[in-house]
Structures are given as structure tokens and as C-alpha cells.
Amino acid sequence: MKFGLLFELGGPPGSTREDVKKIYDDALDQITLADELGFDHMWAVEHHFSPPHSFSTAPEVFLTAAAVRTKRIRVGHGIVVCTPPVNHPAHIAERAAVLDIVSNGRLDVGTGRSNTWLELGGYAAEPHDTKQSWDEYVRALPKMWTDPSYSNPNGRFFKMPERAIVPQPLQDPHPPLWVAVTSPGTEFDAADRGLGVFGLSIGNYKAQEEKIKNYRRRIQNCEPIGPAVNEQVHVVNFMHCGLDETAAQRGRVMLDTFNHNTAHTVPVKEVYPSPLYQIGGFLPTLRQEALGPGDATGIPEGLAIGEPDRIIEVVKHWESIGVDGMNFVIQASEVLSHEEVMESLRNFATYVMPQFKTPEELAAPVATGMRKV
């Protein structure tokens, strides 16, 4: 089981310039500690026009800062918006390659198409086309990273004459590729292309187990879009670990704050009806799951919040249904103090992590999980 952190870099309403600076500084301190404690991944979202929920508008810059402060932990785009005019695939390939070099080969690249009207509408993107544009982008990226030159003269969503796209990434053949899985069926899109699952929907164990089984079965017969297959399944979760009942109370405050913030986002389907956006996806799913308590702590089923014994049980359950990694949201709009977050990370590393990793595994470089084809 691999453990990671997911950063939204959000703040309270009315956040000042100084507040945002502290949000970034605290997050970098948390990542530095996580690297020392043995966490495997850290991810930064890409969001635009979404204050105060997220100020993570240039994740490649933040990830570079994280990379130069750490030695072992893998740094990841969680996710890059693969939609014109938000990003051009050649620019994604170039930024990723440089970040892979700067991080000494520790980059992961998550891909997706965005789910909020604030972003897509702000860039005047066409929601009906986002799934097709994502497909064209992810098929181009491995070629851009591995071929001496690349051209796409007849592309639908971007056209390019032949150009050398440099530099190539340090990882051979390229960084692991993932896709954000929210809508039903996206796990099949991931499997068919040989991509890892970056699960953003926290449903009940049974629902997620069925998705994972379908993915595992289907990826065995995939037609990879590049020279390597990433067959890992990671899920997003919430984590706050403490040594008494106050941990559940603090974790619930974080969870409720996160859900309150996301309630003010505007899903695409509420503004621009499209068959490609039939459900709300990540954020509404989290809100729905957070409405009902899962046990006596008042924490919904499957969330890693509370005392170590409870969190260990939760992680073991996810592991038993085929999850390879868990990426934790550990803060929401700075509702927890920086010290509380740091203590939670230490508690998790002291009491939970040893149940799933040996000391040698904690010290070793983090494996990519990819296989060449």
C-alpha cells in the first residue's frame, strides 16, 4: 500500500496575499515532513478561477518547489486539465519533462478534463468535446516524450507541424500516466489505454470494489497508448490521525469545511447539459458520502479519520478490495492549524504506516508501478 497527500491549496473566504503565501509555505513544510516520514506521493491539483477553495493554478511551479525540498517522495500532477484552450499537449509534455529532470525522475502525470463550469466556462472550452480532447491529448503525450520528433497535422483538437519536443523526461520511457476516474465507465477508458486509475470518487466499499474488479480484468487486454502500462489503482481519501476522540472531531470539521467549500462550486451539468457530464463527479460525490455517519465516530464509511486503530482497519479494508494507494486530503481552507496537520502526519507514520510497510520499504525509492510493453 502506498500513501500520498493531495493538496488543493485553499484558504478561508477573504484570504489575503499574505494568507496565500502562508498556505503555500505550510504545504511545503508538510510535504518535506511527509518525505522524511516515508510517504510515497504528493499531488497538487490544477484549478482555475476557484477562490477560496483552491489557489493551485500553477501546480508545475509548486511541484518544482516541492521536488527541490525532498529526496524520495514522488511528485504528481493531480490532475492536468487536458482540454483546449486550458492547456496545449506540447506544453504539458515540455513542463512535465523538465519537472521530471528537476525531481530526479520522481514525476507522475495525472490527466483529466475538469468538472466545473468556473474552469471550462472561464476558458470558453466546449464541454461536449472534453472527453474526445482528453483522448487525443493522452495518446499524444507518450509519443512527444519518446519520439525524436512529433507531428499532428490532422488533429481535431490541436494541430502541429513536425517539431522536436525537448527535453525528454528522465524516466525511461516516461513518467507514469494516470486518469482521474469520477464518471461511471472512466475506469474502462483507463484500462483500455493502459493508464493508472486516480480515483476521485469516494463511494462505499462495495461500489469501489466492483469498479476495481472491472478495471483489473479489462486492463489485461489493453492496447497501450505508449511503451509502458501503469496498472495501479489509487483512491483519494481524507485523513486526520490523533491519539484520542478529539481526532475524529477535528477530522469532521475538516471534512465539513471541504464539503461546504465544494458546495459553492458549479458543476458543468448544472449550467451546460451534456451527456458527458451526467453526474456531479468528485465533489458532489464527496458531499453525498459525508452526509451520513459510518460508525460511532460520526465519520462516513471508508474515511481515514480518527484514532490509529480505526484508520488501520479502514486502510486494510481498502487494501483487501484491490486498492494500491491512498492519497489523503489533510487540510481544508486552513481550518486546522499547521501544527495539528503536522502532528497528524507524525501519528500516521508512527502508528499506521508500519502496519503496511517494512522499515526497508519506507527507506527505499518509491517504485513507479509501471511495466514496459
Side-chain angles (χ1 to χ4, degrees):
M1 178 64 72
K2 294 179 180 177
F3 298 113
L5 307 178
L6 177 67
F7 290 88
E8 297 272 355
L9 301 176
S15 293
T16 65
R17 300 177 189 218
E18 291 74 20
D19 292 334
V20 175
K21 174 69 164 62
K22 185 177 187 304
I23 290 167
Y24 270 78
D25 288 346
D26 287 352
L28 288 171
D29 285 346
Q30 291 156 14
I31 294 163
T32 303
L33 177 62
D35 182 51
E36 296 168 356
L37 294 174
F39 282 82
D40 302 294
H41 290 85
M42 60 79 40
W43 300 82
V45 304
E46 179 184 351
H47 282 317
H48 303 280
F49 321 122
S50 303
H53 173 65
S54 176
F55 295 103
S56 185
T57 56
E60 67 279 3
V61 179
F62 175 68
L63 292 169
T64 301
V68 299
R69 291 181 57 155
T70 57
K71 297 179 180 179
R72 177 183 176 276
I73 197 168
R74 295 187 64 83
V75 296
H77 285 283
I79 58 161
V80 178
V81 180
C82 295
T83 301
V86 182
N87 284 304
H88 190 286
H91 200 187
I92 294 173
E94 293 167 339
R95 291 189 318 231
V98 172
L99 181 49
D100 197 48
I101 292 168
V102 171
S103 67
N104 196 29
R106 290 185 283 141
L107 179 67
D108 285 71
V109 178
T111 65
R113 55 196 181 99
S114 182
N115 185 56
T116 73
W117 183 246
L118 288 172
E119 292 177 329
L120 295 182
Y123 278 105
E126 173 53 67
H128 284 317
D129 294 337
T130 55
K131 198 153 193 173
Q132 291 82 6
S133 66
W134 166 80
D135 183 58
E136 189 170 334
Y137 276 40
V138 296
R139 292 182 184 278
L141 288 173
K143 296 181 177 65
M144 291 179 172
W145 283 327
T146 57
D147 293 350
S149 62
Y150 176 85
S151 66
N152 189 34
N154 300 313
R156 178 182 173 189
F157 297 101
F158 75 98
K159 291 179 171 60
M160 278 190 67
E162 186 169 352
R163 292 291 186 274
I165 298 178
V166 295
Q168 290 186 323
L170 181 60
Q171 292 180 83
D172 184 13
H174 57 72
L177 272 168
W178 306 73
V179 57
V181 174
T182 54
S183 304
T186 309
E187 68 272 18
F188 295 135
D189 295 333
D192 291 345
R193 293 160 179 76
L195 302 175
V197 165
F198 193 82
L200 292 179
S201 296
I202 299 179
N204 59 50
Y205 292 125
K206 185 176 181 181
Q208 294 302 315
E209 182 175 13
E210 188 64 24
K211 280 187 177 183
I212 294 168
K213 285 181 178 178
N214 291 337
Y215 171 80
R216 299 287 190 204
R217 181 173 60 251
R218 190 133 167 176
I219 200 170
Q220 299 308 311
N221 299 309
C222 72
E223 296 183 6
I225 58 173
V229 170
N230 178 15
E231 48 193 353
Q232 300 175 87
V233 175
H234 283 205
V235 296
V236 171
N237 206 304
F238 290 85
M239 190 274 284
H240 189 75
C241 183
L243 304 184
D244 56 36
E245 66 278 1
T246 62
Q249 298 168 7
R250 290 192 298 272
R252 184 76 203 206
V253 170
M254 174 183 66
L255 179 63
D256 290 345
T257 301
F258 186 95
N259 290 319
H260 172 78
N261 291 343
T262 59
H264 292 83
T265 62
V266 182
V268 169
K269 68 164 190 170
E270 294 181 9
V271 176
Y272 199 104
S274 167
L276 297 180
Y277 289 94
Q278 295 181 12
I279 67 168
F282 171 45
L283 304 179
T285 301
L286 289 183
R287 292 204 301 270
Q288 181 179 359
E289 290 301 320
L291 292 178
D295 56 30
T297 65
I299 302 300
E301 177 185 84
L303 300 189
I305 292 172
E307 297 177 55
D309 287 346
R310 181 186 188 277
I311 295 177
I312 290 168
E313 181 180 348
V314 165
V315 176
K316 284 183 176 179
H317 201 139
W318 284 114
E319 186 177 48
S320 73
I321 64 175
V323 170
D324 301 306
M326 304 182 71
N327 299 301
F328 298 122
V329 176
I330 56 173
Q331 178 65 285
S333 294
E334 301 297 289
V335 70
L336 300 177
S337 72
H338 178 51
E339 292 72 23
E340 287 172 333
V341 174
M342 297 286 271
E343 185 63 24
S344 171
L345 292 173
R346 294 188 185 97
N347 287 335
F348 185 91
T350 300
Y351 299 103
V352 178
M353 212 178 278
Q355 301 297 315
F356 302 91
K357 295 175 179 291
T358 66
E360 291 74 22
E361 289 172 329
L362 289 170
V366 183
T368 66
M370 293 207 304
R371 59 176 173 87
K372 293 184 180 180
V373 294

